[in-house]
Amino acid sequence: MIVTVTTRSGRELIKGGLELNDSATVADLQEAIHKRTKKYYPSRQRLTLPIPSGSKEKPTVLNYKKSLKEYADGNTNNLTVVFKDLGPQVKYSTLFFFEYLGPLILYPIFYYYPVYQFFGYKGERVMYPVQTYAMYYWCFHYFKRIMETFFVHRFSHATSPLSNVFRNCLYYWSFGAWIAYYVNHPLYTPVNDLQMKIGLGFGVVCQISNLYCHILLRNLRGSDASGGYQIPRGFLFNIVTCANYTTEIYQWLGFNVATQTVAGYIFMVVAASIMTNWALAKHRRLKKLFDGKEGRPKYPRRWVILPPFL
């Protein structure tokens, strides 16, 4: 089989094409491209079928596990694919590790060290119990997230663009420092003990629930992350499509009820907005895939992310 690899502008990426055996897979083609170009390793490649000029249809993305014959459309001797460079890539585990590491390190710095001297506060700082419990709560959350990254999550995509590391770190690290600055500030005014206990207690329950949601999602995928889309079931997933996001939002609500800072509430609102967009997209996708037609199960009626509002 002769495979012609072109760029989106129509230029041949590899002159004369690549000759592969008839049993070759898309993964074999990616490796062959890598050998000829060196720069474009497989996770950096996006291969699609060409679409007619002027067509508004989305191009078909080649699945690395499938045989090239499946995309040859009856012509098993020749195939043309369109190549796109996705740019430098990193593993998702690497991305998540660095974005969570920042808040995990920065928050204790504001708690333990006299950083406020650099902001003009020279007096002795009095630490309230809520500040100590909030620090433990915060560190537990981000330590849990790192452990989940390496031991629980199974990613549908192996890599992410390198640029996402800088973007995500800016988001998590800046918010982490901002919240830590106010919660541990020398002029911080604590809430009453009952409010602190209710907020942190509720938050801890949500954190544990969030971990259990992630374990349930992990079990939907095979060990090679090839499970495809399935209907999440069990625990809160029986009533909410994205129960993992629901528990994530509510655990930050518990933290903010206990600590009461503007920075914390802004972070929660921004995070909830981002996760709501993700949840709506996933809900629509699952309803479309599981439409009850041609033997497919019908997606059950559920809240999207935040009962009883959405």
Side-chain angles (χ1 to χ4, degrees):
M1 173 183 287
I2 302 298
V3 181
T4 302
V5 184
T6 68
T7 63
R8 290 188 294 174
S9 64
R11 177 181 62 85
E12 274 196 68
L13 180 70
I14 299 172
K15 297 296 183 181
L18 292 166
E19 186 173 352
L20 300 169
N21 61 54
D22 290 343
S23 62
T25 63
V26 174
D28 295 327
L29 172 59
Q30 290 177 317
E31 287 292 345
I33 293 173
H34 182 213
K35 287 181 180 179
R36 293 287 296 272
T37 61
K38 302 299 181 185
K39 176 182 178 181
Y40 303 123
Y41 43 87
S43 62
R44 188 167 174 164
Q45 302 173 26
R46 181 176 183 264
L47 302 178
T48 61
L49 294 179
I51 56 175
S53 178
S55 174
K56 295 183 179 180
E57 294 183 4
K58 291 185 177 180
T60 300
V61 180
L62 275 59
N63 186 321
Y64 75 98
K65 293 182 179 180
K66 290 188 176 182
S67 168
L68 290 173
K69 280 187 175 181
E70 296 184 44
Y71 298 105
D73 194 24
N75 185 354
T76 57
N77 295 321
N78 293 279
L79 176 66
T80 298
V81 300
V82 180
F83 167 88
K84 179 183 178 182
D85 177 20
L86 297 177
Q89 302 284 301
V90 295
K91 291 183 177 180
Y92 266 101
S93 57
T94 301
L95 169 66
F96 288 169
F97 173 74
F98 281 107
E99 69 183 36
Y100 299 148
L101 182 65
L104 181 61
I105 293 175
L106 289 171
Y107 197 103
I109 289 176
F110 282 89
Y111 178 85
Y112 284 111
Y113 296 98
V115 295
Y116 293 95
Q117 293 181 4
F118 299 104
F119 299 99
Y121 299 97
K122 303 296 183 182
E124 184 177 352
R125 186 169 48 139
V126 177
M127 301 302 294
Y128 298 99
V130 64
Q131 292 171 299
T132 300
Y133 295 139
M135 193 270 295
Y136 292 147
Y137 182 100
W138 180 281
C139 292
F140 172 74
H141 171 76
Y142 282 102
F143 178 76
K144 175 181 78 73
R145 295 282 285 265
I146 290 175
M147 291 299 101
E148 288 173 338
T149 295
F150 291 109
F151 302 110
V152 177
H153 293 319
R154 287 173 176 164
F155 304 104
S156 57
H157 300 286
T159 62
S160 173
L162 178 62
S163 59
N164 286 351
V165 175
F166 304 102
R167 183 197 65 187
N168 290 18
C169 285
L170 177 64
Y171 170 78
Y172 280 101
W173 293 34
S174 58
F175 265 119
W178 192 31
I179 295 169
Y181 173 82
Y182 283 107
V183 175
N184 298 293
H185 198 281
L187 301 180
Y188 175 76
T189 302
V191 300
N192 62 63
D193 283 352
L194 179 60
Q195 184 172 335
M196 175 193 72
K197 291 175 181 177
I198 291 174
L200 293 181
F202 176 73
V204 167
V205 171
C206 290
Q207 287 219 51
I208 295 171
S209 300
N210 181 256
L211 171 60
Y212 186 54
C213 287
H214 287 158
I215 292 173
L216 291 176
L217 290 175
R218 177 184 188 273
N219 293 335
L220 290 178
R221 297 184 182 276
S223 58
D224 59 352
S226 61
Y229 286 107
Q230 299 182 47
I231 298 177
R233 301 186 189 278
F235 191 44
L236 297 176
F237 285 110
N238 289 335
I239 57 175
V240 187
T241 292
C242 293
N244 51 322
Y245 297 155
T246 303
T247 51
E248 177 77 11
I249 294 169
Y250 282 139
Q251 70 95 16
W252 284 122
L253 177 62
F255 177 86
N256 286 316
V257 166
T259 56
Q260 291 286 74
T261 65
V262 172
Y265 278 111
I266 290 176
F267 174 63
M268 184 186 72
V269 170
V270 172
S273 299
I274 294 170
M275 286 185 278
T276 297
N277 287 333
W278 293 344
L280 288 168
K282 184 173 183 179
H283 190 76
R284 288 192 295 265
R285 187 160 53 243
L286 289 172
K287 288 186 69 175
K288 183 178 180 180
L289 287 171
F290 301 103
D291 54 8
K293 300 176 181 178
E294 299 178 359
R296 292 184 293 270
K298 185 172 179 60
Y299 194 73
R301 184 178 177 83
R302 292 177 178 173
W303 299 103
V304 178
I305 184 172
L306 290 174
F309 309 108
L310 183 62

